[in-house]
Amino acid sequence: MVELIVDDIMSKVSDHRAHVLMLKEKGGLRRIIVALGLLEAQAIVFALRRVDTERPLTHDLFGSVMGAFGIALEHVLINDISDGTFRAVLHCSQGGEAKDVDARTSDAVALALRAGVPIYIEDELLNRMCVRSETNGAISIPITAADEGTLRTALENAVKEENYELALKLKEEIDSRHQAVPEPGEDKTE
């Protein structure tokens, strides 16, 4: 596992309601980008800036409820990605017993910041999904990290630019997300 720290939160230029969270490897150069909605971004910014509100916000309330029932958040682990969406697990303990809770990555980060606990990612996942800086200040992300809409737009652009090698890679990624999954008991070898 590799520890991550919050590097930046940015508004997407094309849609100011959408944001991205940049998480950086602690003491390293690798980064991942997590897509956020406005409310999720606000929750993380409030936690980073230690903004006090008159009444508890959802993440504050959840932390208080956990504390009231003797549940301690030990750390957060980003452990998977599916269709461009990172998945996370809250590693908790209660009375000496370890408990894992599935969570949205944005919620997990907001809770970790409030609780002052580390955020980790599987090393293999970080290697596979880390962003790379380009010379013009842009960043590139692996195609497996992009949502399907982004992939389809990139595919159209690759075809227009006659970059058929890239178009093929993008089409293969889109197609891999739509492979039929057999029903339980269904024989796929006919």
Side-chain angles (χ1 to χ4, degrees), residues 147-159:
D147 62 45
E148 190 169 331
T150 302
L151 290 175
R152 290 189 182 283
T153 301
L155 175 60
E156 290 172 15
N157 290 336
V159 170

Side-chain angles (χ1 to χ4, degrees), residues 136-150:
N136 62 358
I139 58 171
S140 64
I141 62 171
I143 62 172
T144 53
D147 62 45
E148 190 169 331
T150 302

Side-chain angles (χ1 to χ4, degrees), residues 155 158-170:
L155 175 60
V159 170
K160 284 179 191 172
E161 295 170 6
E162 298 181 4
N163 185 345
Y164 300 117
E165 183 178 338
L166 175 59
L168 178 61
K169 288 179 183 176
L170 292 165

Side-chain angles (χ1 to χ4, degrees), residues 59-167:
H59 295 91
D60 301 312
L61 175 62
F62 189 74
S64 296
V65 169
M66 288 175 63
F69 287 94
I71 301 169
L73 178 60
E74 302 294 334
H75 68 271
V76 163
L77 175 64
I78 301 170
N79 62 348
D80 196 14
I81 189 165
S82 177
D83 194 23
T85 301
F86 283 101
R87 309 286 183 197
V89 175
L90 304 175
H91 285 276
C92 302
S93 64
Q94 182 182 33
E97 185 180 340
K99 298 182 184 283
D100 290 343
V101 179
D102 183 43
R104 295 186 316 171
T105 301
S106 57
D107 291 331
V109 169
L111 287 167
L113 292 172
R114 282 170 173 73
V117 301
I119 302 163
Y120 294 109
I121 188 169
E122 297 288 354
D123 190 48
E124 181 276 328
L125 182 60
L126 179 59
N127 277 334
R128 189 165 38 103
M129 303 312 300
C130 67
V131 297
R132 289 160 179 70
S133 296
E134 303 292 334
T135 55
N136 62 358
I139 58 171
S140 64
I141 62 171
I143 62 172
T144 53
D147 62 45
E148 190 169 331
T150 302
L151 290 175
R152 290 189 182 283
T153 301
L155 175 60
E156 290 172 15
N157 290 336
V159 170
K160 284 179 191 172
E161 295 170 6
E162 298 181 4
N163 185 345
Y164 300 117
E165 183 178 338
L166 175 59

